[in-house]
Amino acid sequence: MLTFIKAQASSLTATLVDYLVTWFCVSFLGIWYVAGSVTGTVAGGCVNFYMGRNWVFNSKEKDIKLQILKYILVWCGNLLIVTTGVYILTHFLGINYMLSKILVSGLIGTIYNYFMQKQFIFTQ
């Protein structure tokens, strides 16, 4: 249970970075919301990997190259799902891009990311 709580704290931190970067890219740099969302997801993914490896799953002894490769595979799935979801909710349903991102990434982060990290990337 402690690992799950730490994973959610890591996810929350990464999500905060993701949302701030997305918002900054769109609101201040004038980048298209989909590109801003991708940029935020990349930034959040880097934070999440670092925290997952070093704090949540305490997996520093294992080969970082293999972990990075596995993380990238899982993260690409996450990126595809989140970006598609944000686009669909924003473009077709008219939902604000940040609300779309919160809805989609919250769902995916809780279900997909935790289990993939625990079972596939940072295996004990």
Side-chain angles (χ1 to χ4, degrees):
M1 185 60 146
L2 179 61
T3 301
F4 181 76
I5 292 169
K6 287 166 75 173
Q8 295 313 305
S10 172
S11 180
L12 183 62
T13 303
T15 299
L16 181 61
V17 170
D18 178 353
Y19 293 169
L20 287 172
V21 170
T22 299
W23 175 74
F24 180 79
C25 287
V26 174
S27 296
F28 288 98
L29 300 180
I31 295 174
W32 182 40
Y33 71 89
V34 173
S37 179
V38 169
T39 305
T41 301
V42 170
C46 291
V47 169
N48 196 18
F49 176 82
Y50 179 81
M51 290 181 75
R53 176 179 165 78
N54 295 295
W55 181 60
V56 177
F57 300 103
N58 197 21
S59 189
K60 295 178 278 196
E61 300 81 33
K62 303 227 175 168
D63 182 20
I64 191 168
K65 292 175 190 169
L66 182 58
Q67 286 178 336
I68 289 172
L69 178 62
K70 289 178 175 182
Y71 189 85
I72 288 171
L73 290 172
V74 170
W75 180 82
C76 284
N78 176 73
L79 178 66
L80 181 64
I81 295 166
V82 171
T83 303
T84 301
V86 168
Y87 180 76
I88 289 170
L89 292 178
T90 302
H91 186 77
F92 294 111
L93 299 179
I95 298 173
N96 175 276
Y97 75 94
M98 285 304 292
L99 180 56
S100 296
K101 187 161 183 89
I102 290 167
L103 293 171
V104 175
S105 63
L107 180 67
I108 299 307
T110 304
I111 297 170
Y112 174 81
N113 289 339
Y114 172 73
F115 291 107
M116 291 301 287
Q117 287 182 25
K118 184 175 185 203
Q119 300 299 323
F120 180 63
I121 300 169
F122 302 114
T123 56
Q124 304 269 331

